[in-house]
Amino acid sequence: MDIDGTADVDENSGADKNKGKCKLNVGSQSLGYRRDYMEVLSPLKNGVVVDWNIVDNIWDHALRECLLVDPKERPMLLAEPCSNTQEQREFCQQAAELMYEKYKVPALFLAKNAVLTSFASGRATSLVIDSGGGSTTDVPVLDGYVLQKCLDRGEYTGFSWLLPVDVVLQVRV
């Protein structure tokens, strides 16, 4: 899915700091061949959305081209991390605004991802350990509710293991 438009360039990136014309290529087929000056971007930084334009384009591609559904006809379920602070809850508000204003969804439900994981395993009470590239969290779920005071974030993540494993593999080769 190709999208032409203007985008704000992040101040920390090595790109030009002025507003520039960009072309967003969304989807796995867009990575099939190399383009000059192509940059693969993530809309997330440390688990927080930093570029809502990219998120909007990813959601549009997923809903309209991958799932082939009209969002106006389907209720939407969004998951949020259990370790969100009050400042990070801004994501929920912006996501809800985007879903209601652009996609015109009839209903929206926001749930904690640990609760959804627990229910997916057929249990209302469980200990969910979620280890990803950027964070690891241990979340106790009791009768479908997260026990916020018992929540624990770990320092060992997928990205923290990447460099040591890469060094070991380089030595062996």
Side-chain angles (χ1 to χ4, degrees), residues 51-70:
D51 191 344
W52 281 97
N53 182 37
I54 296 175
V55 170
D56 178 27
N57 289 312
I58 290 171
W59 284 353
D60 195 58
H61 172 75
L63 291 169
R64 300 187 194 284
E65 295 188 23
C66 296
L67 296 174
L68 302 172
V69 297
D70 185 10

Side-chain angles (χ1 to χ4, degrees), residues 29-41:
Q29 295 169 342
S30 298
L31 295 174
Y33 57 94
R34 186 180 176 282
R35 296 173 184 85
D36 289 337
Y37 306 108
M38 183 172 100
E39 185 177 4
V40 179
L41 299 173

Side-chain angles (χ1 to χ4, degrees), residues 6 9 25-26 44 46 56 69 77-78 81 83 97 111 121 131 133 139 159:
T6 59
V9 178
N25 296 297
V26 180
L44 302 175
N46 296 328
D56 178 27
V69 297
L77 170 67
L78 295 178
S83 58
E97 286 176 11
S121 67
S131 183
V139 184
F159 292 138

Side-chain angles (χ1 to χ4, degrees), residues 104-120:
K104 310 273 191 255
V105 296
L108 177 68
F109 186 77
L110 187 65
K112 303 279 188 185
N113 58 6
V115 173
L116 295 175
T117 302
S118 182
F119 285 158

